[in-house]
Amino acid sequence: YADMLCIVEAKQERALDKDGLMQLYIDSDSLFLHQLNRQFLWGLTICADEVYACMMLNDGLFVSPAMRISELAGRKMLISWLVRWSMCPDDLLGYDPTMHRVTVHSDVDVVGSDNDDVDDIRYRIDCYDDESMETIKYVTKRTIMSADDILGRHTRCFVATRYSGSDAYSSATEVVIKDAWPPTNYPPLEDPRDEIKLLRKIHDTFKNDAPDHIYPELIVGGHVRLTQKNRSVIDTTDAIFKAAGVKRIDPSSDSDADSAWNQQLLRAHRRIVMSPVGHSIKTVQNEAELIIVLAEAMRCYSSILSQCGILHRDISTNNILVVRDGKDTIPRGLLIDFDLAVEVNKHKRSACPESLGTMPYMSIANILNLDTPRTALDDWESLLYVVCWLATVGISSDHRVADAELENKQIKHWRIGTTKMIADAKRTHMHSSDNFQFSIVSRYCSQYKLLPCFAIALYNALFGNNNCPGAYLDDDDDEDDDSSDDDDSDKSTDGPNDPLIKRGAYVDEIVANLEGVLEKFKCKAQAALKL
C-alpha cells in the first residue's frame, strides 16, 4: 500500500457498481493508513465495461459519470483521466506538498536510537508558525497515530526532531507533531476554537510561572501553507476544490444540493509541534501507575481551567498520555488534544450545551445534550468512566479482557445502542452506590485492588453529594414516557430537579471533593510502588 497511487476494484456486472464503490472505499482505507502524506485518494471501479473514477475526501466521495469502454467516447474519457493523472502535479494526486517522503537506506545512520524504534518510511515536514510566520522543518522518527479512515479529521501524530540538513535521524530533542483537518465555521485564522490559539494561551500563561505538573507545551503552531499561482494560501478543503476546478458548497447554505458530492464541510489543515513526548495510557505497568497518571493529568486539567479559562470537554483514554523521565521512574500524566476545548468565563467556568466527546466516556448530560451548561463536572464524570472502562477491560495488554467476555458485562451498554439507550444505562448504573458497585465495580478485573476503592470514592464525590444525589430525576418529577425511544428524544425538559442539572449549583464544592479523592489515592499509589 505504501507505494500505490490508487486502488482498482473490478466487478463482473454493471449492476454491481455500488458494491464496487463500497469495496473500493473499504480497501482504500488501508492505502490511506500507510501513506501518511496523502490528503485525499483517487480510485477506479470497473464493472463489466463501465469504469468510474472516484475521488475520496474528508466528507464525501466524488464519482465520475460511467465511462463505457465498449464505446469510443467512453474509451476517450478513460484515457483522458489516465493522462491527467500521469501529468498533473503531486498535490492534485492527493499528496501533501509540505510532507516529503524520506527513503531510509541501510547505510543511513539513525543516531542515538535503536533501529527498531524508527519507521521504515519517514517524512520531512514543513511546520509553519502563524505567530512568527516562519517555517521550521522536522524529520519524523516514528508514527504515534495514523488516520485509518478517509472520512473525518485525518489526525496523524509523529515523534520527530528538528531537521538539520540531513534526513538521518539525530539525537536532538524529540517533539510531537500533530497534523489534522478539523472542521470550522469561521475563516481559519478567526476560529475561536482553534486548538493552536488555546495551546498558545496555555503556553503564554505558564511560561513565566511554570506549574509543578507537565502540560502540552506549544513549540510551533500554524495552518499549513501552500503555494498556488505564486501566492501563499492556507491549506483548506476550499484550496483542494479550487485546485481541482470545483467550487465547494457549504452543507448549510443550499438545501437543494443535499446530494451534491461537493457539499462538504470547510476544514482547515493545522499542524502543531509540542512537547513532551508521551505514550499511550495502556503502557502503564500496574493500577498504581494508572492512578498516578490520571491524577497528574487532572491536575493539569484543573490548572488549565482555573488559570487559562479553558474547558477541555473530551477526557478519554486517548487524550491522557504517560510520560517517563527514565525507564524505572514513576510515570507522569499528560493531558492532550484540545480540539474540542473552549474558552470559558473564569468565574462561571461553564460552556453552552453541546453534545460532543468520545464514547463511552461522555457524561450523561453531554450524551443527551441536556439544557444545562457544561462544566468541569462533565469532564470529571468522563474521568470516572475512564477508570471504570480500563478496570473492566484491563489497563494493559497483559490484562486485556476479550471482546466476547466484555459482552457479558453491563459496561458494554456504554457504547452500544442509541444515545438515549446509552444515557439511560449510565443513569441506571450511576443512580445509587449499590447500583454502581453491583453493575460496574463488581465486574472489574479481579487482580485490581486499588481501582475499585478509587472508583467508588470518585463516584461518592460526584454522584453522592447530598444536594444532588444520584443520576435520575426526583420521583415527583420523573414522568415515564415510553414514547420517546429514539436518538432525537428531547431531554431538555427534565426540569430543575434532575440531579444532573441541580449539581450545576455545587460545582466548586464537588470538584474540591473530587480533587481530594485524587490526591488521597495518588499518595496510596505512590506508597504501593515503593513497597
Side-chain angles (χ1 to χ4, degrees):
Y1 289 107
D3 298 308
M4 291 182 182
L5 168 63
C6 68
I7 289 177
V8 180
E9 186 69 31
K11 298 292 183 182
Q12 291 183 328
E13 302 174 14
R14 291 180 185 174
L16 296 175
D17 56 344
K18 291 183 179 179
D19 290 343
L21 290 171
M22 180 61 70
Q23 192 61 49
L24 176 70
Y25 172 79
I26 294 172
D27 291 343
S28 293
D29 271 350
S30 296
L31 191 152
F32 199 67
L33 177 66
H34 289 85
Q35 295 190 16
L36 305 178
N37 61 338
R38 287 301 281 270
Q39 298 180 312
F40 59 89
L41 298 179
W42 291 99
L44 285 174
T45 60
I46 304 172
C47 302
D49 64 339
E50 290 186 344
V51 181
Y52 300 86
C54 307
M55 181 184 186
M56 290 161 274
L57 290 152
N58 305 72
D59 298 291
L61 175 70
F62 160 72
V63 182
S64 73
M67 296 174 280
R68 190 163 292 176
I69 55 178
S70 59
E71 299 174 0
L72 178 60
R75 291 196 293 274
K76 284 185 175 181
M77 191 180 298
L78 176 59
I79 291 171
S80 71
W81 273 101
L82 297 176
V83 170
R84 188 183 310 169
W85 283 342
S86 66
M87 299 183 67
C88 72
D90 285 351
D91 59 323
L92 291 182
L93 294 175
Y95 293 97
D96 185 343
T98 66
M99 288 185 66
H100 312 280
R101 177 170 160 174
V102 176
T103 302
V104 181
H105 301 287
S106 58
D107 58 345
V108 174
D109 291 329
V110 182
V111 181
S113 177
D114 295 331
N115 285 329
D116 290 342
D117 203 24
V118 179
D119 291 347
D120 291 335
I121 298 174
R122 295 179 291 123
Y123 297 88
R124 187 169 65 252
I125 304 178
D126 299 337
C127 298
Y128 180 84
D129 188 81
D130 285 340
E131 189 172 78
S132 67
M133 294 187 290
E134 295 180 347
T135 297
I136 301 175
K137 298 181 184 293
Y138 290 85
V139 177
T140 65
K141 176 185 177 184
R142 64 180 181 274
T143 305
I144 302 174
M145 177 186 294
S146 178
D148 57 358
D149 195 327
I150 299 169
L151 299 178
R153 293 173 177 262
H154 294 179
T155 301
R156 296 170 169 128
C157 295
F158 309 89
V159 174
T161 57
R162 186 86 173 257
Y163 178 67
S164 58
S166 169
D167 290 330
Y169 183 79
S170 73
S171 57
T173 302
E174 292 183 343
V175 297
V176 174
I177 299 177
K178 177 181 177 181
D179 186 276
W181 288 78
T184 178
N185 295 322
Y186 303 84
L189 295 177
E190 300 174 15
D191 188 349
R193 295 188 180 182
D194 180 355
E195 184 181 16
I196 298 166
K197 292 181 180 178
L198 298 179
L199 289 174
R200 203 176 299 283
K201 184 175 183 180
I202 294 170
H203 174 270
D204 292 345
T205 300
F206 290 150
K207 67 179 179 181
N208 295 322
D209 187 17
D212 59 357
H213 57 75
I214 54 176
Y215 63 94
E217 186 171 354
L218 181 70
I219 300 171
V220 178
H223 292 77
V224 175
R225 296 272 176 166
L226 304 176
T227 300
Q228 290 184 352
K229 296 182 179 180
N230 298 320
R231 292 179 61 246
S232 176
V233 299
I234 294 176
D235 193 15
T236 64
T237 43
D238 275 344
I240 293 175
F241 277 91
K242 185 175 181 180
V246 181
K247 181 176 176 58
R248 183 189 64 86
I249 301 173
D250 192 271
S252 61
S253 65
D254 187 353
S255 59
D256 295 330
D258 287 341
S259 61
W261 75 274
N262 55 328
Q263 188 178 29
Q264 298 194 24
L265 296 171
L266 173 62
R267 291 180 178 271
H269 190 184
R270 295 172 183 155
R271 194 168 285 158
I272 298 169
V273 182
M274 54 191 168
S275 67
V277 176
H279 302 273
S280 167
I281 199 170
K282 297 173 185 176
T283 60
V284 295
Q285 298 175 7
N286 50 58
E287 58 178 333
E289 284 196 350
L290 175 64
I291 290 173
I292 291 170
V293 167
L294 294 178
E296 287 278 308
M298 292 308 289
R299 284 185 65 214
C300 174
Y301 169 88
S302 295
S303 291
I304 290 173
L305 178 57
S306 62
Q307 297 184 47
C308 307
I310 296 173
L311 190 65
H312 189 278
R313 303 198 301 175
D314 192 19
I315 302 297
S316 70
T317 53
N318 289 332
N319 294 339
I320 296 175
L321 299 183
V322 179
V323 177
R324 295 182 187 273
D325 296 327
K327 186 176 181 181
D328 298 320
T329 59
I330 293 178
R332 308 185 76 181
L334 175 66
L335 182 65
I336 62 164
D337 196 348
F338 287 75
D339 262 346
L340 300 183
V342 64
E343 286 193 75
V344 296
N345 182 296
K346 284 189 178 182
H347 301 290
K348 293 183 178 179
R349 288 185 289 178
S350 62
C352 296
E354 270 188 293
S355 182
L356 40 75
T358 304
M359 290 290 188
Y361 313 114
M362 291 171 64
S363 71
I364 300 168
N366 202 351
I367 295 171
L368 293 173
N369 201 18
L370 293 183
D371 188 16
T372 185
R374 300 294 176 265
T375 70
L377 297 185
D378 292 284
D379 285 335
W380 282 94
E381 187 178 333
S382 294
L383 174 72
L384 174 59
Y385 298 147
V386 166
V387 173
C388 293
W389 192 264
L390 291 175
T392 303
V393 304
I395 62 177
S396 67
S397 57
D398 294 337
H399 303 164
R400 191 69 59 216
V401 171
D403 287 343
E405 187 176 342
L406 189 62
E407 287 302 305
N408 298 321
K409 299 178 184 288
Q410 285 292 313
I411 203 170
K412 72 175 182 180
H413 297 295
W414 293 6
R415 68 174 182 178
I416 297 173
T418 66
T419 54
K420 182 178 183 300
M421 291 167 62
I422 293 172
D424 284 349
K426 285 187 172 181
R427 277 195 190 267
T428 300
H429 297 153
M430 299 296 153
H431 187 54
S432 71
S433 180
D434 288 343
N435 283 7
F436 177 62
Q437 293 188 49
F438 176 75
S439 301
I440 303 300
V441 178
S442 66
R443 270 66 171 179
Y444 285 2
C445 295
S446 59
Q447 64 264 47
Y448 301 145
K449 307 304 179 186
L450 270 177
L451 286 178
C453 299
F454 181 45
I456 292 170
L458 287 174
Y459 170 86
N460 289 335
L462 184 59
F463 289 99
N465 187 284
N466 291 331
N467 297 300
C468 47
Y472 273 131
L473 297 171
D474 287 348
D475 292 339
D476 292 341
D477 287 355
D478 189 5
E479 299 177 5
D480 290 333
D481 182 5
D482 296 332
S483 62
S484 58
D485 194 33
D486 54 70
D487 286 353
D488 299 323
S489 175
D490 182 6
K491 300 295 288 185
S492 64
T493 59
D494 281 344
N497 286 328
D498 185 336
L500 302 179
I501 294 177
K502 288 174 66 176
R503 72 185 188 183
Y506 307 97
V507 173
D508 291 343
E509 175 187 336
I510 296 173
V511 168
N513 291 335
L514 288 163
E515 289 176 341
V517 168
L518 222 54
E519 188 60 30
K520 173 183 176 181
F521 277 87
K522 178 185 174 183
C523 292
K524 286 187 175 184
Q526 289 172 332
L529 289 179
K530 292 176 182 178
L531 292 178

